[in-house]
Amino acid sequence: IINFYKKDIIRCSCKILSKGKRMDSLEKNSILVVDDQAGIRILLEELFTDEGYEVKLAGNGNEALAKISEDNPDLILMDMKMPELNGLETLTELNKIGKANIVIMMTAYGELELISKAKELGSYDCIHKPFNITELCEIVATYFRTKKNCLS
């Protein structure tokens, strides 16, 4: 799986979405990547760090909830299927504190019921694994553009 993603990274950079400009340090947004697969966490950390985002990592839902209370990330990329506290259970907890809308769920499962439940709980979007890096970059860039426009 990682080789597929690495090839995609070589062909695509999120920079094309910002017309070749990296974010200023003043605009640095933070992303929390939550996935039980270390390779996915590292891949997304490298990709989004290179694009100027501050990236934190968590391996499961419990770890994510602890990091969210400490770091208050701007966006969360979270896997649905994880041990201990899965993505939907974590999303349910985030919904209780008004943070479900900053979550992009990632799933290797094309189960419409899970995706529907995530949307019902307020997630910003869902993306299927193996995901297309270009598509993920576009979703993240759109999220931050929308957030910036809402704050302006």
Side-chain angles (χ1 to χ4, degrees):
I1 289 177
I2 296 303
N3 286 337
F4 166 79
Y5 290 125
K6 290 276 186 190
K7 288 177 190 170
D8 214 356
I9 288 175
I10 291 167
R11 288 193 311 260
C12 164
S13 171
C14 292
K15 286 181 266 181
I16 62 170
L17 300 170
S18 59
K19 303 200 184 340
K21 298 178 184 173
R22 290 181 185 264
M23 290 181 290
D24 292 349
S25 56
L26 297 174
E27 295 180 39
K28 198 167 213 173
N29 292 301
S30 62
I31 298 173
L32 174 63
V33 176
V34 187
D35 199 304
D36 59 320
Q37 295 180 10
I40 299 294
R41 290 194 309 267
I42 293 166
L43 169 78
L44 294 177
E45 179 183 35
E46 287 176 8
L47 174 68
F48 290 113
T49 298
D50 286 349
E51 296 307 322
Y53 294 99
E54 179 183 329
V55 181
K56 302 282 183 165
L57 306 175
N60 61 55
N62 288 325
E63 203 177 309
L65 291 173
K67 291 204 180 221
I68 290 162
S69 66
E70 291 171 17
D71 300 326
N72 196 28
D74 297 306
L75 178 64
I76 302 165
L77 300 175
M78 184 164 52
D79 191 20
M80 283 220 201
K81 297 283 188 174
M82 298 180 291
E84 294 181 39
L85 197 62
N86 70 37
L88 286 178
E89 293 165 335
T90 306
L91 188 61
T92 299
E93 294 304 310
L94 292 173
N95 192 22
K96 291 176 185 175
I97 59 172
K99 292 198 180 279
N101 65 331
I102 67 167
V103 178
I104 296 172
M105 297 298 295
M106 303 180 296
T107 181
Y109 304 89
E111 296 179 23
L112 296 177
E113 189 176 313
L114 287 176
I115 293 168
S116 177
K117 182 68 175 166
K119 287 292 195 176
E120 210 175 276
L121 288 168
S123 69
Y124 176 77
D125 208 342
C126 294
I127 190 165
H128 298 280
K129 290 181 183 177
F131 44 78
N132 177 303
I133 295 294
T134 304
E135 182 182 351
L136 181 58
C137 289
E138 287 173 0
I139 292 169
V140 169
T142 299
Y143 171 83
F144 283 114
R145 272 195 308 272
T146 303
K147 180 182 173 192
K148 184 179 177 181
N149 289 339
C150 287
L151 296 175
S152 297

